[in-house]
């Protein structure tokens, strides 16, 4: 049975990732590389456009009693579904599920508009810069901070031993935290080698580019920026490789 690392926060997302990998015949290496630290802030309620970029952001906004005005935008289908699950209407999901895709969807209509971007403390500058360039009055609210849990490291040790067959990086920060953890454990070189011997999947192009900058060889980027698609693509690539 192939061993595949998942780095999702230690909540229902990690549990769902484990269940998915098991259903695909893989042995999950559950190693949460992200922990959510809420700021207790809420998105502004007077914006013409409000952009949510994650399921976690939706949960935090709802917990703080956010009542939106204007157009509600979700960066992708998972965020959109979370908004609907929490009773919010979704007005816009870009064709390309990324910061650049959101800018492309809004740039012709936001000149002079108040745009609220509600997200984590590690959001891409692409979204803010693009909207500012389009003439919007942009305000960012940090709903939560993303940190590395002190317990992280099981996947690093597995990679350093050569026991990891695949890895599912769902954000640039998970790549950074993996390598930071490896450095803290004095296993960076061995873990990076083990990772590059495995099938590495990244959920989108920004994550792929960051991984490559850090020396990680990326094998798979699914067409859809979705964790399920990422997991299935990595399992398929491992099966194809092992069948050669």
């Amino acid at each position: 049975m192939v061993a595949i690392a998942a780095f999702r926060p230690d909540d229902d997302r990690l549990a769902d990732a484990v269940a998915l990998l098991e259903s695909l015949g893989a042995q999950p290496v559950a190693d949460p590389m992200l922990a959510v630290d809420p700021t207790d802030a809420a998105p502004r309620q007077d914006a013409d456009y409000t952009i949510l970029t994650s399921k976690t952001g939706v949960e935090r906004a709802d917990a703080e009693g956010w009542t939106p005005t204007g157009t509600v935008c979700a960066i992708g289908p998972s965020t959109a579904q979370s908004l609907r699950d929490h009773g919010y209407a979704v007005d816009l999901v870009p064709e390309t599920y990324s910061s650049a895709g959101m800018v492309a969807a809004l740039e012709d209509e936001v000149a002079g508009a108040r745009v609220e971007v509600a997200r984590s403390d590690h959001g891409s500058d692409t979204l803010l810069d693009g909207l500012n360039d389009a003439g919007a009055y942009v305000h960012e609210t940090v709903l939560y901070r993303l940190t590395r849990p002190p317990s992280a490291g099981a996947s690093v040790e597995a990679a350093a031993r050569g026991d990891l067959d695949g890895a599912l990086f769902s954000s640039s920060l998970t790549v950074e935290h993996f390598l930071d953890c490896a450095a803290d454990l004095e296993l960076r070189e061995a873990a990076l080698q083990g990772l590059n011997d495995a099938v590495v999947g990244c959920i989108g192009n920004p994550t792929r580019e960051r991984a490559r900058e850090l020396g990680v060889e990326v094998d798979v980027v699914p067409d859809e920026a979705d964790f399920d698609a990422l997991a299935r693509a990595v399992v398929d690539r491992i099966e194809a490789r092992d069948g050669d």
Side-chain angles (χ1 to χ4, degrees):
M1 184 178 291
V2 297
I4 300 178
F7 308 111
R8 312 220 78 186
D10 193 8
D11 53 25
D12 60 320
R13 282 162 291 192
L14 187 61
D16 289 346
V18 167
L20 174 62
L21 287 169
E22 289 176 341
S23 75
L24 296 172
Q27 175 62 51
V29 180
D31 194 9
M33 284 288 171
L34 297 176
V36 176
D37 181 14
T39 63
D40 299 330
R44 292 181 60 168
Q45 299 188 158
D46 61 349
D48 300 305
Y49 296 81
T50 301
I51 299 171
L52 278 298
T53 65
S54 69
K55 176 183 175 183
T56 301
V58 174
E59 292 169 350
R60 294 309 314 153
D62 185 63
E64 296 302 323
W66 172 57
T67 302
T69 57
T71 300
V72 176
C73 309
I75 205 163
S78 297
T79 305
Q81 187 57 54
S82 184
L83 280 162
R84 297 184 185 104
D85 290 345
H86 285 83
Y88 298 109
V90 179
D91 301 302
L92 185 148
V93 180
E95 290 185 11
T96 301
Y97 308 143
S98 67
S99 293
M102 183 64 76
V103 171
L106 292 175
E107 61 186 351
D108 292 335
E109 59 183 84
V110 294
R114 292 169 297 182
V115 179
E116 169 74 345
V117 177
R119 57 185 187 175
S120 80
D121 62 327
H122 285 277
S124 166
D125 289 338
T126 299
L127 184 55
L128 305 183
D129 292 346
L131 293 170
N132 276 312
D133 289 345
Y137 297 103
V138 183
H139 179 268
E140 180 184 29
T141 297
V142 174
L143 301 176
Y144 58 99
R145 297 183 176 88
L146 292 170
T147 60
R148 173 164 56 94
S151 60
S155 63
V156 170
E157 294 173 348
R161 293 192 305 266
D163 291 339
L164 201 63
D165 298 290
L168 308 175
F169 288 110
S170 52
S171 69
S172 298
L173 197 57
T174 55
V175 182
E176 294 170 9
H177 282 182
F178 177 95
L179 293 174
D180 288 345
C181 183
D184 289 346
L185 294 171
E186 299 183 350
L187 292 171
R188 193 183 192 282
E189 185 175 347
L192 184 58
Q193 182 60 57
L195 193 61
N196 287 337
D197 288 340
V199 173
V200 173
C202 291
I203 205 163
N205 288 325
T207 303
R208 173 176 59 184
E209 293 308 312
R210 184 58 178 149
R212 287 177 171 172
E213 288 171 2
L214 294 171
V216 177
E217 298 171 6
V218 178
D219 303 288
V220 174
V221 178
D223 293 335
E224 185 177 358
D226 173 80
F227 187 83
D228 284 19
L230 174 65
R232 294 177 191 280
V234 168
V235 169
D236 288 347
R237 179 65 64 86
I238 293 171
E239 291 177 347
R241 180 196 64 182
D242 292 348
D244 290 342

